[in-house]
Amino acid sequence: MNVILIAVIVLGAVGLIAALVLFFTAKKFAVKEDPRIGLVNEALPGANCGGCGFPGCGGMAAACVKAADAGSLEGLNCPVGGQPCMEKVAAILGMKVEASAPKLAVVRCNGTCENRPRLVQYDGAKTCRIANTTCMGETACAYGCLGCGDCVAACQFDAIKMNPETGLPEVDTAKCTACGACAKACPRNIIEVREMKAAKKMGVVVECMNKDKGAVAMKACKVACIGCMKCQKVCEFDAVHVENNLAYIDPEKCRLCRKCEDECPKLTIHAINMPPRKPKPAAEQPAAQKAATAEAVAPAAPAKPEAEQ
């Protein structure tokens, strides 16, 4: 009985000493957290998507408090909460935040089944990352969409889905928060988070990533960019540049005039969330198009009698 009692007393003393050591250690090395971080974290949407560039909303809250102490919230933006969320954060920190341009995830590939025919059948694991590392895909284009849907699986907001007819992902502009998860999941980087114009998220995009020369690109896809530079020459705002046989439109310089869209001979440039273009009048049509239209409209000449022949 005495042995058991002694064991209980010894264990109790050891536990008490350990508890005191842990208590004083926690007091000495305690890290005090700024209470503003908790308030900012509550104002954030809590999606923890990482679209802001920080590890979750907690990291974003800490970055906002640190930036507020430095005197500016410039460069910080929550893609999920948008401008209203950042205004709440700024109010908590006693700051003002400037309005930021809306952003949207854009699929820069128009290689549908019609434009980019399949040459082989891929029977491996249905993930774009594995397909990209093991083969070139089912088509002759080494730059286009692989169609396995890694971007769809990465989206937390059900804003991107695969179109079974075209075999390409399509972004729902109303649901997209521009978190960038789909862009990170794409191994070929064909999804870009771009700045758009106005609240309707309007923009003009080159839907191609093929950097091969014109003849090679055309063999792989009918609507591939051939680097003809017509879009660059017609742009009055220096927003279009052709590098490595591929055109790119700068969203900051673009003024949505859509001249590049009209000038593109391969129909590679498309406008997003903008009304369709009105057909040009006959006076503005090229000479070749006028001749073709005239031949189609002109009535056939009457046949001469056999005696006159």
Side-chain angles (χ1 to χ4, degrees):
M1 190 70 180
N2 293 333
V3 177
I4 297 175
L5 183 61
I6 292 172
V8 171
I9 294 173
V10 171
L11 289 175
V14 171
L16 180 61
I17 294 172
L20 291 174
V21 171
L22 291 175
F23 174 76
F24 287 110
T25 303
K27 284 290 185 180
K28 184 174 180 60
F29 297 102
V31 178
K32 295 182 179 180
E33 183 181 81
D34 194 323
R36 295 177 297 172
I37 296 179
L39 297 175
V40 173
N41 195 12
E42 291 178 0
L44 295 173
N48 294 317
C49 61
C52 56
F54 298 97
C57 293
M60 174 66 171
C64 289
V65 172
K66 185 178 180 179
D69 292 338
S72 176
L73 293 176
E74 185 178 358
L76 296 175
N77 181 45
C78 175
V80 179
Q83 187 68 18
C85 177
M86 290 308 298
E87 290 177 356
K88 291 180 181 178
V89 172
I92 293 172
L93 300 175
M95 305 285 292
K96 290 185 179 180
V97 61
E98 297 181 359
S100 58
K103 294 184 178 181
L104 181 69
V106 176
V107 180
R108 294 189 57 198
C109 178
N110 195 27
T112 62
C113 301
E114 181 181 356
N115 297 330
R116 187 175 48 137
R118 268 50 177 170
L119 304 178
V120 296
Q121 183 177 355
Y122 173 70
D123 290 331
K126 293 299 181 181
T127 65
C128 298
R129 193 164 298 277
I130 295 178
N132 185 56
T133 54
T134 56
C135 67
M136 195 174 67
E138 297 181 335
T139 68
C141 180
Y143 301 89
C145 177
L146 292 164
C148 296
D150 286 16
C151 51
V152 178
C155 183
Q156 301 180 20
F157 308 99
D158 193 32
I160 184 168
K161 294 182 179 179
M162 298 297 298
N163 188 326
E165 296 182 0
T166 62
L168 296 175
E170 294 182 353
V171 178
D172 188 339
T173 58
K175 295 181 179 179
C176 180
T177 61
C179 67
C182 55
K184 294 177 183 177
C186 180
R188 290 191 171 177
N189 300 319
I190 67 166
I191 301 181
E192 177 189 3
V193 179
R194 291 175 60 92
E195 289 187 0
M196 310 301 282
K197 303 293 183 181
K200 295 182 179 180
K201 298 181 180 181
M202 298 184 296
V204 182
V205 183
V206 179
E207 292 187 350
C208 182
M209 293 291 291
N210 198 325
K211 297 180 181 179
D212 292 330
K213 292 185 178 180
V216 179
M218 283 301 300
K219 289 181 180 180
C221 182
K222 296 179 182 178
V223 292
C225 178
I226 57 177
C228 63
M229 302 185 71
K230 289 185 177 181
C231 51
Q232 178 175 330
K233 294 176 182 178
V234 77
C235 182
E236 301 176 358
F237 307 102
D238 192 36
V240 188
H241 293 277
V242 178
E243 295 181 2
N244 297 326
N245 306 311
L246 179 64
Y248 181 78
I249 300 175
D250 189 340
E252 295 183 0
K253 295 181 179 179
C254 180
R255 296 295 180 268
L256 305 181
C257 66
R258 302 176 71 176
K259 290 183 179 179
C260 56
E261 182 185 10
D262 296 336
E263 195 69 18
C264 181
K266 306 308 298 181
L267 304 178
T268 309
I269 301 177
H270 292 148
I272 299 176
N273 290 335
M274 298 179 69
R277 300 286 276 178
K278 296 180 180 180
K280 292 184 178 181
E284 299 181 8
Q285 292 181 356
Q289 189 174 354
K290 288 182 180 179
T293 305
E295 291 180 1
V297 175
K304 295 183 179 180
E306 295 182 359
E308 293 182 4
Q309 291 180 2

